[in-house]
Every structure is written in structure tokens, then in C-alpha cells.
């Protein structure tokens, strides 16, 4: 048996071996006494603001090497700002603090609290151990109504990030103990004990399945490889031991198999779903183009980023594109329970305003490889504008020969970018809910969604403007297929400027059942976008100058929230793109169906309508800006603009580049006499559809880009906008 002296020596060595930190409350007091913000401290320690918050409320503890650096800083502050003397007993009117909970005390009857990550803390009598269930303290301070609104089935939030030591980091700083060492055991634990998931977004929808995010260490603990050998299919082979374990336990995988985003399920029992979503970080589950460096954060911070996204948009179910599409379905589910009057039984019925069944597109709306198009045109045939609907975003540059002398005397090229342009285009957009109906020589109706074959070549605009009817901005030269928003804008121009032409469609594919299907999706994601921007210090009540100043550094203020913002923007573009998902399998043969076609949300016509509306919105603002800046009005019956009109030199999707005397948007955007933005022109602000500063370069740079046939809008920030997800 060891002697008392030997044990004391061992304990002293242990105490000296690791830095000892003051209590979380004392950490916050010292930082505030020094006048340092949490964001500034996070910047110094190369961490995140949320991580510092967690250290100061006891949700987590720093790990080396930040642990030693943090201790050194706190010791320095403690010497400068000693704690004031307090009485040994508190007055009766002051509430005594609750005694710290033992590490062995269960957080709730069905879930034992796990040991803290740093066991040295338990050996220090000067500092009480941090609870593994800090969320309970936050709940106690919430109003009773808010606490009652929490769904007890999902008391621990929508997701958890599992680390290699069995710690499952949840939203709000909660850390659960996960004893599972195999994937089947992890799935069983998640469904039986973890209390993870999220309530449905629509009364007729489905609750969100729990998400478990696996770090590299957790994946190794569960027997998963560090990398997938199948780089094309991105899935484990069917004979891998983990897949075999799942089969033996009678769990199933979806058709995409066990990849970066794996769904593991059994058929529902008694109306209760049995499904768990896994996201494997070392396999690239979080694409850096959407999520930045989120997968490199500490597990608690990953949970914070994904949890914020889950609360504001939806629990991630795959890429942001997949999540965007799933959000559409979650907000407008296809079916609901209805009572059969004849039998009295409850049966499945359609939800009004939703996409309720998969329908084939019109041939002009289908991509080349779709069966309805492949039946008409052989592989390799290049369809003409009169054979295919080509509604895409702008990529246009002005002929440098059309630059005016006044423009060439300006000093800068300034880019402005429309906030979430596709999301703004979806607002109040009426789309088709049913399959296409073919009609000959129809009368155009702007309230009828569809595709129209019409000749718009008779509409002449100023040659310095792009055509609103083509993605490349070149004036059409004959009949072509257009979505309803494009034709409606053509009619708007004809009526407003008394242009000498008429809209006479030759034929059309129209939808008889219509509705604003995307409205709930727009509202949810726009609120998520604005709330995240507000958290980053960019609010709707800022002045134009204040908005531009806030945008200069908003992403640097909190990298975690910046990752959420990036994911939200990717959700918009990816979700719209998924409406026309192309075949992915290398085994697909031209003209054969592919799995995505069986979804009610495979709707290339809706994608075309959104992109058409976004492009038209851009052209309308370009035109209104030009009209607001020219001295003399355009002559009746034409859209020829004055030499002094402010016109772009390049457009790329939602970015416009102008030549300007000054380096910022306020140097060029038109305002009324009372200082307000000119009606209909570009407006600076945070809301979807308003614009922000994209970047500024010198005039000669922009002119050289134009001369070489490159688009200045792509590189106005100094990077490739497409690669940045813009």
C-alpha cells in the first residue's frame, strides 16, 4: 500500500502539471474588469466568440495550447483586478447559489452525466466542477411559456457532434455521454436515450430525424475509415464491416448507401419514425464552399454552427442544396390525413398549395437526357432557342467600343451585389402545381405559369444595355421559349414605353393549377438570413453609410455565424438548382429515367421561373437606375438612353459593375432631392433584393478585362465570384 506522503506527492504533481483556472464567473469578471470583449479575447486566442462564452458559463473548458495561454492571461488580470472582499454570510434577501451538482449525479433520470473532458478540474478544491448539463440552468431563467413550448421528445436539441472520447456535444453547450462503440449501438442510443430531433415545420409534415455528426476521432472509434476509397461513389462497400454490422442489426440504408451523409432507418412502428442521420466530417460532409472551415472547429463550436442553422432553416440532411430542397417539402408537405366520408377511415390526401405528385416536364423544359426530350432529339443534338427553354442567370459584358468618353474618364469600377437574388425572386412568385398542358396560339396571361414560344426580337433597347430576354444579353433574333416572368416583363416594357410591337405567342405549355408554392420557403430563409446578419451587426435600421461600414467587417466579428450565413446563402442557390437535378450515376444511359425524377419537387419549370424572375428583377433595376440618372427622358416609343445615363459594363448573375468617379456605391447610386434612393433603382440594405458593395477596382483594370473578353463582375472582389459561391 502507498504511504500518505507518496499519495500527497502524486496529487501535488498532478495539480502542478495542468493549469488551474478560476471559476467561469470569475473568468467573466476578470475579462470585463479589463474592458475586453468576448470577441476580442476570441481573436487573441485564435478561437471563436461562442467558445469564449462557453468557457465563461461553464459549458466547456479550454484545451491545450489555449488552456495555458488562457490561464496566463487570467493570472495577469487577477493581479491587476483582485476580487473585492465580500461578507462571509449573505443577507436573507439575497438568494444563495445552488450547490454544484456531483459529476456522478444524473442530469435526468434516463441519462447519466458524463465526466468532464479535463479530469484535473475535479481535483481542484478551489474550483467546482463544470456541469455536463449547463442547459438546465438556462432553462430555469426562461419564461414559463417558452419552457412549455419545448418538445420533451427532443429536449436535447436537433443534433449532437460526437467526439472520440464518447462526448456528444449538443446545442446550447450540453454534453452527453455516448457509450456506443459501434454504429448500430450509436443508432440505438440516439433513438432510445439521446432525446434528439426537431418538431415538424408544418402540421402535416414530419418531425426532423436526429443528426449525429462524427468527428475524425469518433469515426475511428466506430470503425470507420479515415477516407473513402470509392472517390466517385463516395460510399462504403457493401462488404465493409460497419455495413455488415448494420445489416445484422436489421438496420437499412437509403440508396445512396453509407457515405458522408448516411441515413440509417427501420420501418416506422406505431407511427414512430426510426431514422438517424449521420454526417461524417472526415469524408467531407460539410463542403467548405458552403460551410467554410466549420469542420475544423472544436466539437462544441460545430454543434453551435449546425444548431443555429437547424433552428433557423432546417436540420441539415445532406449538402446545403439537399437541405434547401428538403425545407421546401417540410414547409409544404405533399400529403395530409383526411377522413374518407364513405368509410370513416383516415386516408392520405393532398395538401392544398403543395406539389403532391411527380410530373414529367414539357419537352422544352426537360434537359437533353430526360426521356421526353430524348424521344424527340438524338444525343448530341444542340437544341435551338425555339426547341428548348433557356432561362439562366446573366453573364454579360458590354462591348468596350460602346464605352462613352465620360465613362472612360472615371477612376473606378464598382461592383454591387444583390442580396440572395434567387430568394428575392421566389417571393410571391406564382408557379405551376400540376403537369403541363399544351396549347396553340394562346393569348398571353401574366398570371398563368408556363413556357411560351414567342418572338421578342422586335423589342429594341439601348445597345449599351443587355437584352432582358437572354442570359448572354444578346438580342434574340426570332421565336424562342420563355418562362412567364420574362414574357410579362416584355409586355411591361411595351406598355410603359409604348414600344411598336405586340406579344403574340405561337404556342405554350401552361399549368392550370397554380399557387405561391415557395412563399413559406422564402419567409423562413429570409428571416434566417436577416437574423444571422443582425447577429453579425448588420441590421435593417442602419443608414446607408452605416450599412456599408458594418458590411466591411461583419464576417470577422464571429466566424461561426459567418459560416451559418454562408450556408444559408448556399441553401438558396442549391435548393433552386435541385429543382432540376441531373443524373449523377456513371451507369446512367441517355434517355433513361433517374431517381430524382420520382420526386414531386423535380420541377425544372419552377427553377426556370425563379431564375427568370431574378434576371428580370436585375434588368428592371438597371433600367430604373439609368432612367433616374439621365437628364432628358427617353423619347416616346423607344428605350434609347442619354449619354449621361448610368449604365453597367458587366453583369454576372446578381452582380453589376459600374464605372464611377468614387470608390463606393454611394458615389454612383442615384438619390432623390431629399436623399432617398431613386424609386425602382438599386437600394443599399440588408434585406433580400437590396444590394451591398461587392468590390472596387481601378478603371484600367476593368477596361482591360473587357478588352480581353473577361467579365469584371466575376473578379471585382479580387477572387472568382463563382468559386466563392456568389
Amino acid at each position: 500500500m502507498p504511504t500518505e506522503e507518496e499519495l500527497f506527492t502524486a496529487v501535488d504533481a498532478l495539480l502542478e502539471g495542468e493549469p488551474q483556472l478560476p471559476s467561469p464567473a470569475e473568468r467573466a469578471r476578470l475579462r470585463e474588469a479589463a474592458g475586453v470583449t468576448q470577441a476580442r479575447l476570441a481573436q487573441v486566442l485564435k478561437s471563436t466568440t461562442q467558445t469564449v462564452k462557453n468557457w465563461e458559463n461553464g459549458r466547456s473548458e479550454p484545451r491545450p495550447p489555449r488552456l495555458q495561454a488562457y490561464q496566463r492571461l487570467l493570472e495577469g488580470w487577477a493581479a491587476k483586478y483582485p476580487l473585492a472582499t465580500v461578507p462571509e454570510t449573505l443577507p436573507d434577501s439575497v438568494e444563495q447559489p445552488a450547490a454544484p451538482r456531483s459529476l456522478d449525479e444524473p442530469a435526468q433520470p434516463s441519462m447519466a452525466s458524463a465526466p468532464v473532458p479535463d479530469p484535473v478540474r475535479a481535483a481542484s478544491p478551489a474550483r467546482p466542477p463544470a456541469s455536463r448539463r449547463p442547459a438546465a440552468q438556462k432553462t430555469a431563467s426562461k419564461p414559463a411559456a417558452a419552457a412549455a413550448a419545448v418538445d420533451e421528445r427532443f429536449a436535447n436539441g436537433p443534433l449532437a457532434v460526437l467526439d472520440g472520447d464518447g462526448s456528444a456535444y449538443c446545442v446550447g453547450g450540453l454534453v452527453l455521454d455516448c457509450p456506443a462503440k459501434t454504429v448500430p449501438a450509436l443508432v440505438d442510443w440516439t433513438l432510445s436515450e439521446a432525446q434528439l430531433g426537431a418538431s415538424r415545420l408544418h402540421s402535416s409534415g414530419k418531425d426532423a430525424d436526429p443528426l449525429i455528426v462524427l468527428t475524425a476521432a469518433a469515426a475511428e472509434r466506430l470503425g470507420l475509415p479515415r477516407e473513402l476509397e470509392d472517390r466517385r461513389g463516395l460510399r462504403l462497400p457493401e462488404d465493409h464491416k460497419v455495413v455488415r454490422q448494420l445489416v445484422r442489426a436489421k438496420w437499412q440504408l437509403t440508396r445512396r448507401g453509407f457515405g458522408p451523409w448516411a441515413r440509417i432507418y427501420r420501418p416506422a412502428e406505431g407511427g414512430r419514425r426510426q431514422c438517424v442521420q449521420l454526417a461524417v466530417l472526415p469524408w467531407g460532409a460539410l463542403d467548405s464552399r458552403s460551410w467554410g472551415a466549420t469542420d475544423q472547429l472544436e466539437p462544441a463550436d460545430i454543434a453551435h454552427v449546425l444548431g443555429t442553422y437547424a433552428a433557423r432553416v432546417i436540420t441539415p440532411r445532406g449538402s446545403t442544396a439537399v437541405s434547401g430542397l428538403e425545407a421546401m417539402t417540410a414547409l409544404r408537405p405533399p400529403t395530409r390525413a383526411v377522413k374518407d366520408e364513405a368509410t370513416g377511415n383516415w386516408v392520405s390526401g393532398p395538401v392544398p398549395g403543395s406539389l403532391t405528385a411527380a410530373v414529367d416536364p414539357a419537352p422544352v423544359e426537360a434537359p437533353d437526357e430526360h426521356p421526353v426530350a430524348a424521344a424527340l432529339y438524338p444525343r448530341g443534338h444542340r437544341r435551338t432557342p425555339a426547341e428548348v427553354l433557356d432561362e439562366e442567370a446573366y453573364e454579360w459584358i458590354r462591348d468596350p467600343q460602346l464605352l462613352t468618353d465620360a465613362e472612360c474618364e472615371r477612376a473606378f469600377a464598382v461592383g454591387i451585389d444583390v442580396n440572395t437574388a434567387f430568394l428575392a425572386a421566389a417571393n410571391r412568385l406564382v408557379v405551376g402545381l400540376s403537369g403541363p398542358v399544351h396549347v396553340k396560339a394562346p393569348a398571353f396571361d401574366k398570371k398563368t405559369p408556363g413556357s411560351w414560344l414567342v418572338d421578342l426580337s422586335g423589342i429594341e433597347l439601348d445597345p449599351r444595355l443587355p437584352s432582358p430576354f437572354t442570359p448572354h444579353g444578346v438580342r434574340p433574333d426570332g421565336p424562342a421559349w420563355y418562362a412567364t416572368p420574362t414574357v410579362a416583363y416584355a409586355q411591361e416594357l411595351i406598355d410603359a414605353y409604348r414600344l411598336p410591337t405586340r406579344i403574340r405567342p405561337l404556342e405554350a405549355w401552361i399549368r392550370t393549377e397554380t399557387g405561391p408554392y415557395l412563399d413559406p420557403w422564402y419567409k423562413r430563409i429570409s428571416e434566417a438570413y436577416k437574423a444571422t446578419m443582425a447577429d453579425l451587426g448588420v441590421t435593417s435600421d442602419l443608414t446607408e453609410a452605416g450599412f456599408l461600414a458594418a458590411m466591411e467587417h461583419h464576417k470577422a466579428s464571429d466566424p461561426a455565424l459567418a459560416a451559418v450565413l454562408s450556408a444559408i446563402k448556399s441553401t438558396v442557390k442549391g435548393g433552386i438548382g435541385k429543382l432540376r437535378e441531373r443524373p449523377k450515376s456513371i451507369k446512367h444511359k441517355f434517355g433513361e429515367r433517374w431517381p430524382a425524377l420520382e420526386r414531386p419537387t423535380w420541377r425544372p419549370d419552377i427553377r426556370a421561373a425563379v431564375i427568370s424572375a431574378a434576371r428580370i428583377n436585375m434588368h428592371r433595376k438597371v433600367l430604373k437606375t439609368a432612367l433616374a440618372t439621365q437628364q432628358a427622358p427617353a423619347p416616346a416609343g423607344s428605350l434609347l438612353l442619354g449619354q449621361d445615363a448610368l449604365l453597367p459594363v458587366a453583369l454576372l448573375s446578381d452582380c453589376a459593375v459600374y464605372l464611377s468617379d468614387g470608390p463606393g456605391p454611394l458615389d454612383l447610386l442615384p438619390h432623390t432631392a431629399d436623399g432617398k434612393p431613386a424609386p425602382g433603382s438599386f437600394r443599399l440594405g440588408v434585406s433580400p433584393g437590396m444590394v451591398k458593395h461587392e468590390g472596387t477596382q481601378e478603371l484600367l483594370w476593368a477596361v482591360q478585362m473587357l478588352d480581353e473578353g473577361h467579365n469584371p463582375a466575376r473578379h471585382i472582389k479580387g477572387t472568382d465570384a463563382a468559386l466563392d459561391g456568389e
Side-chain angles (χ1 to χ4, degrees):
M1 293 290 291
T3 66
E4 180 177 318
E5 183 177 354
E6 289 173 339
L7 292 175
F8 277 25
T9 300
V11 168
D12 289 341
L14 183 61
L15 289 173
E16 293 174 359
E18 291 285 350
Q20 301 300 304
L21 299 179
S23 68
E26 176 65 1
R27 302 170 200 174
R29 185 195 72 81
L30 290 171
R31 177 186 54 76
E32 292 170 355
V36 176
T37 65
Q38 291 176 327
R40 174 60 179 156
L41 179 55
Q43 184 180 17
V44 169
L45 295 178
K46 309 298 183 185
S47 186
T48 66
T49 305
Q50 183 60 42
T51 298
V52 173
K53 291 178 181 177
N54 291 343
W55 294 345
E56 293 185 357
N57 58 28
R59 294 179 180 177
S60 66
E61 291 293 315
R63 297 179 179 178
R66 292 186 179 91
L67 177 59
Q68 291 83 353
Y70 191 33
Q71 187 218 20
R72 182 176 181 181
L73 178 63
L74 292 175
E75 287 177 347
W77 282 342
K80 295 176 64 176
Y81 311 106
L83 185 65
T85 304
V86 296
E88 293 184 2
T89 58
L90 296 175
D92 294 339
S93 60
V94 178
E95 183 180 353
Q96 296 284 349
R101 182 164 54 222
S102 166
L103 292 179
D104 296 327
E105 181 184 345
Q108 60 183 41
S110 64
M111 193 174 304
S113 182
V116 292
D118 183 1
V120 176
R121 296 195 309 243
S124 173
R127 184 178 65 237
S131 170
R132 295 279 280 184
R133 176 114 183 159
Q137 299 175 1
K138 289 190 78 175
T139 303
S141 64
K142 291 181 180 180
V150 175
D151 192 327
E152 289 302 320
R153 296 173 302 159
F154 314 124
N156 295 328
L159 56 89
V161 181
L162 185 63
D163 209 355
D165 60 359
S167 298
Y169 295 82
C170 305
V171 175
L174 172 65
V175 185
L176 306 177
D177 233 357
C178 175
K181 295 183 179 179
T182 66
V183 173
L186 173 62
V187 174
D188 287 332
W189 172 82
T190 302
L191 294 175
S192 62
E193 297 184 45
Q195 292 184 280
L196 296 172
S199 300
R200 63 197 66 186
L201 298 180
H202 187 282
S203 59
S204 297
K206 300 175 182 177
D207 296 328
D209 298 318
L211 168 63
I212 302 294
V213 182
L214 304 181
T215 64
E220 184 177 0
R221 171 188 171 104
L222 297 171
L224 297 172
R226 284 274 181 170
E227 295 183 357
L228 285 173
E229 294 182 3
D230 182 2
R231 303 309 302 165
R232 182 182 291 271
L234 290 178
R235 63 181 63 191
L236 287 178
E238 294 183 2
D239 61 351
H240 191 277
K241 66 175 183 179
V242 171
V243 178
R244 294 202 307 268
Q245 289 171 354
L246 290 169
V247 172
R248 284 197 299 269
K250 295 183 170 49
W251 290 105
Q252 301 178 40
L253 293 164
T254 58
R255 280 184 294 191
R256 61 182 172 183
F258 202 121
W261 290 90
R263 294 184 71 80
I264 303 171
Y265 71 98
R266 286 176 182 155
E269 290 184 357
R272 182 173 178 269
R273 287 172 62 83
Q274 300 185 88
C275 183
V276 174
Q277 175 83 61
L278 299 185
V280 188
L281 296 185
W283 296 355
L286 299 181
D287 191 328
S288 61
R289 293 171 296 182
S290 302
W291 293 100
T294 297
D295 59 349
Q296 303 299 314
L297 300 176
E298 295 181 4
D301 297 320
I302 296 173
H304 171 62
V305 171
L306 298 182
T308 303
Y309 179 90
R312 294 179 177 178
V313 183
I314 193 171
T315 303
R317 305 185 185 186
S319 66
T320 50
V322 170
S323 298
L325 194 70
E326 290 286 346
M328 294 180 196
T329 303
L331 292 162
R332 281 198 188 271
T335 59
R336 61 176 177 171
V338 295
K339 195 168 187 178
D340 188 331
E341 297 298 333
T343 64
N345 297 327
W346 289 94
V347 296
S348 179
V351 174
S354 292
L355 302 176
T356 58
V359 296
D360 278 340
V364 300
E365 299 163 347
D368 294 345
E369 61 271 28
H370 193 283
V372 300
L376 297 176
Y377 308 104
R379 185 170 191 171
H381 172 77
R382 186 169 183 177
R383 289 191 280 175
T384 67
E387 295 171 335
V388 64
L389 179 69
D390 185 27
E391 294 285 12
E392 299 294 342
Y394 266 129
E395 182 159 9
W396 167 84
I397 61 173
R398 197 200 303 179
D399 183 345
Q401 300 299 320
L402 296 178
L403 293 176
T404 66
D405 292 340
E407 288 175 324
C408 292
E409 292 175 357
R410 292 169 183 160
F412 301 99
V414 179
I416 54 175
D417 181 78
V418 180
N419 301 325
T420 57
F422 292 155
L423 183 63
N427 186 22
R428 298 191 299 274
L429 180 66
V430 176
V431 300
L433 304 178
S434 55
V437 177
H438 187 243
V439 291
K440 287 282 191 179
F444 175 69
D445 180 4
K446 66 179 181 180
K447 297 181 180 179
T448 301
S451 301
W452 309 79
L453 181 63
V454 60
D455 188 352
L456 301 180
S457 61
I459 299 178
E460 182 178 2
L461 285 80
D462 192 295
R464 295 169 294 163
L465 278 174
S467 168
F469 312 126
T470 62
H472 44 70
V474 177
R475 182 177 175 180
D477 57 6
W481 286 97
Y482 303 100
T484 296
T486 301
V487 186
Y489 185 58
Q491 187 65 63
E492 177 184 323
L493 293 176
I494 292 171
D495 295 342
Y497 303 100
R498 292 178 288 174
L499 303 181
T501 187
R502 294 179 60 186
I503 300 295
R504 295 176 177 174
L506 303 175
E507 56 181 300
W509 291 91
I510 62 173
R511 266 76 181 177
T512 55
E513 293 181 40
T514 67
Y517 170 74
L518 293 172
D519 265 11
W521 187 77
Y522 164 79
K523 292 174 183 176
R524 183 166 181 83
I525 299 185
S526 64
E527 288 302 319
Y529 174 79
K530 289 186 289 186
T532 306
M533 291 293 285
D535 287 344
L536 290 168
V538 187
T539 57
S540 58
D541 58 350
L542 293 172
T543 63
E544 290 183 317
F547 168 74
L548 291 173
M551 289 295 293
E552 286 290 327
H553 307 290
H554 73 292
K555 292 183 180 179
S557 64
D558 191 324
L561 281 172
V564 175
L565 179 66
S566 173
I568 290 172
K569 293 193 288 187
S570 295
T571 298
V572 174
K573 289 191 174 182
I576 296 299
K578 274 282 185 180
L579 292 169
R580 194 188 67 170
E581 183 178 356
R582 309 294 278 268
K584 296 180 177 179
S585 173
I586 59 174
K587 298 179 181 179
H588 177 264
K589 295 182 180 179
F590 183 80
E592 288 185 348
R593 300 186 70 83
W594 58 95
L597 302 186
E598 311 312 318
R599 296 193 319 249
T601 50
W602 194 87
R603 292 295 300 270
D605 57 301
I606 296 180
R607 173 189 178 273
V610 172
I611 296 177
S612 164
R615 193 183 68 246
I616 292 308
N617 287 346
M618 172 66 86
H619 193 277
R620 182 183 287 110
K621 290 181 179 179
V622 165
L623 181 57
K624 292 291 186 180
T625 299
L627 293 171
T629 52
Q630 67 176 7
Q631 296 298 318
S638 79
L639 271 173
L640 297 177
L641 302 169
Q643 291 292 298
D644 55 343
L646 181 65
L647 295 167
V649 296
L651 299 175
L652 179 68
S653 187
D654 45 13
C655 177
V657 175
Y658 286 89
L659 301 183
S660 170
D661 293 324
L666 289 177
D667 296 309
L668 64 95
L669 294 180
H671 289 73
T672 60
D674 57 359
K676 296 181 179 179
S681 66
F682 291 109
R683 299 171 64 95
L684 289 167
V686 70
S687 296
M690 301 177 81
V691 299
K692 58 182 180 293
H693 184 204
E694 179 75 351
T696 297
Q697 301 287 344
E698 293 182 353
L699 170 71
L700 293 179
W701 173 89
V703 173
Q704 183 178 355
M705 293 282 287
L706 293 174
D707 286 338
E708 294 174 354
H710 301 308
N711 193 326
R714 183 178 295 277
H715 304 282
I716 194 73
K717 287 198 303 185
T719 59
D720 190 324
L723 293 178
D724 289 343
E726 296 296 336

